[in-house]
Amino acid sequence: IDLLIGTIKSLWPGKRCTFSVGKYNSGNYIAEHDDHAYVTDTDGKLCSRDLAVIYYLTKDWKEEDGGILIDLHDGKRKEYVPKFNSLVAFEVPRFHEVTAVLPRVGRGPRYSVFGWFLEE
């Protein structure tokens, strides 16, 4: 995971950023929000989120599994199925949500790396 996060960070060299790993079990979802927030960087500097990034880690994820990223920008609704080894990025603030992960026999959780590039 550290190598993957390092690769994502290299997309914007020198830019402050913060990334985490997400695990979404059956029933997990994220309500509508815009990611706008101020965070304290590791250096103690107050920064705002500038660019959101999501990298999908789960193979063979299907639309009927839920966990779909819904982009709600400008009142329009665009859906992104979490495709393995793909990356989604968008400027912050931008309204979006993630639908509930639905139960399916034999399928485990949905995993992703997510985070933000930051502006001082």
Side-chain angles (χ1 to χ4, degrees):
I1 291 296
D2 290 338
L3 178 61
L4 175 59
I5 291 174
T7 300
I8 295 170
K9 287 179 176 182
S10 74
L11 296 173
W12 202 340
K15 185 80 166 174
R16 293 180 181 278
C17 56
T18 181
F19 288 95
S20 299
V21 176
K23 177 183 178 183
Y24 302 86
N25 291 306
S26 182
N28 292 156
Y29 68 94
I30 302 173
E32 181 179 329
H33 65 287
D34 69 2
D35 276 5
H36 180 76
Y38 291 95
V39 296
T40 303
D41 192 11
T42 54
D43 296 338
K45 294 186 180 189
L46 189 62
C47 300
S48 63
R49 294 173 176 172
D50 193 27
L51 184 75
V53 176
I54 308 164
Y55 184 82
Y56 296 111
L57 299 171
T58 306
K59 291 182 179 179
D60 302 319
W61 198 265
K62 298 175 176 34
E63 186 174 359
E64 57 267 21
D65 291 328
I68 309 296
L69 172 66
I70 309 290
D71 179 5
L72 302 166
H73 185 65
D74 287 340
K76 299 174 186 166
R77 184 179 173 93
K78 182 163 178 154
E79 298 185 1
Y80 296 88
V81 176
K83 183 179 176 187
F84 174 69
N85 201 30
S86 67
L87 183 138
V88 174
F90 53 90
E91 292 180 345
V92 174
R94 187 180 190 106
F95 279 97
H96 61 285
E97 64 188 13
V98 177
T99 64
V101 172
L102 303 173
R104 179 165 60 96
V105 175
R107 194 225 48 238
R110 184 184 79 120
Y111 293 96
S112 62
V113 171
F114 67 95
W116 302 270
F117 286 97
L118 307 172
E119 187 69 37
E120 288 184 49

